[in-house]
Amino acid sequence: MKNQKKILVTGGAGFLGSHLCKLLVSEGHDVLCVDNFYTGNKKNLEELRDNPLFEIIRHDVTFPLYVEVDEIYNLACPASPVHYQHDPVQTTKTSVHGAINMLGLAKRLNAKILQASTSEIYGDPEVHPQTEDYRGRVNILGPRACYDEGKRCAETLFHDYHIQHNLRIKIMRIFNTYGPNMHPNDGRVVSNFIIQALNNEDISVFGKGDQTRSFCFVSDLIRGMTSLMNSEDQFIGPVNIGNPHEISIFELAETIIELTNSKSKIIHNPLPVDDPVRRCPDISLAQEKLNWTPKISLKEGLEITVSYFDNLLKKAANGAFN
């Protein structure tokens, strides 16, 4: 294939990584997926198992990796609070040591490398919507700091490698994303609400539920990710990728109850420490530089995601899913 690349995806068995691997293989690229399976799952990549363009190895990015590739997508890191707070030291090491190891690999190979950063670097923002030049408001000693500060440090490392070694880098700040292959027990709001609704359990909303989020469907997010990687080298980011449609958590719960015809009731629990009140991206830069904007509406995306979790629960009931 003309223009075929060898592409490394760290965290490739996770939610976002598995969708990225599938897209890259479908485009004819030779894809190496690296994952330590802390939150990733081989079942997410079942359809690629026998594809000659796809290879998967178990590896922790906090240790050096020696492979030959043209591009690197660095996605490795647990991304939901329930997982990244379980072992905060390891979370920070994954972001920082993982970035150092992947940047070192990219430098040796002269490979282009993309960092999957996060909207969490903005913390509980005072600026709304968030633009890329906003420096954030993060509690460096809070329960979310291992993830927030780890990702912030990774961005610094990427930028410094670019300045000091002329490395070709891309920095992408990912806002809330949802869709098939989300871990059913990762504690994220969309998966939580859908699982609770499908089981007709009470839906747990923190506080009054008036805090807002913006939710991007996974196919839109991955399209933004590859658009950034394939953009001109002079544009390194950081760039926000997310859906600017803002919705309150209470409205989200009501929408999911309606879509699932659930008998669930909404209950209110205390707000977690440092939970952001508002979170919404300004995507002007992505629109200008990448000609990117999300296409999937929240209702359409939720219908697809509800169907995925409904099938997952049925398989689990039959002992077919772990």
Side-chain angles (χ1 to χ4, degrees), residues 57-70:
I57 61 174
R58 182 187 295 269
H59 180 81
D60 189 320
V61 295
T62 60
F63 297 94
L65 179 67
Y66 302 99
V67 293
E68 301 292 325
V69 293
D70 303 307

Side-chain angles (χ1 to χ4, degrees), residues 127-193:
V127 171
H128 192 82
Q130 291 80 61
T131 54
E132 289 85 355
D133 59 358
Y134 176 54
R135 297 182 181 180
R137 185 177 69 153
V138 175
N139 178 3
I140 62 171
L141 301 179
R144 306 168 75 98
C146 58
Y147 185 69
D148 303 354
E149 292 296 333
K151 289 290 191 177
R152 286 161 71 97
C153 183
E155 284 199 20
T156 301
L157 285 164
F158 267 69
H159 184 261
D160 288 346
Y161 263 79
H162 172 68
I163 297 299
Q164 189 170 337
H165 302 295
N166 200 30
L167 195 65
R168 292 177 296 155
I169 68 163
K170 304 288 181 178
I171 300 173
M172 172 183 180
R173 291 178 179 165
I174 299 171
F175 282 70
N176 291 68
T177 308
Y178 70 101
N181 291 4
M182 292 183 81
H183 195 292
N185 300 315
D186 70 359
R188 295 190 222 203
V189 64
V190 171
S191 50
N192 263 9
F193 285 4

Side-chain angles (χ1 to χ4, degrees), residues 248-316:
S248 76
I249 297 301
F250 191 85
E251 288 178 274
L252 176 68
E254 289 185 316
T255 301
I256 289 173
I257 288 173
E258 181 182 343
L259 286 176
T260 55
N261 295 313
S262 177
K263 298 175 183 177
S264 296
K265 296 178 181 179
I266 298 174
I267 61 171
H268 298 268
N269 290 332
L271 276 170
V273 176
D274 295 333
D275 190 50
V277 175
R278 300 184 77 183
R279 182 65 64 70
C280 183
D282 182 314
I283 62 168
S284 302
L285 188 62
Q287 291 171 321
E288 175 193 346
K289 295 292 188 179
L290 308 178
N291 193 28
W292 177 89
T293 191
K295 297 177 179 179
I296 306 296
S297 71
L298 181 62
K299 184 174 184 293
E300 182 183 355
L302 286 175
E303 286 173 345
I304 296 169
T305 310
V306 165
S307 177
Y308 168 77
F309 278 113
D310 190 34
N311 290 331
L312 204 64
L313 289 175
K314 288 174 181 174
K315 289 179 181 178

Side-chain angles (χ1 to χ4, degrees), residues 5-9 24 29-32 69-71 73:
K5 301 170 188 171
K6 293 181 179 178
I7 302 177
L8 168 64
V9 179
L24 295 174
H29 299 297
D30 193 346
V31 176
L32 173 61
V69 293
D70 303 307
E71 291 180 351
Y73 288 84

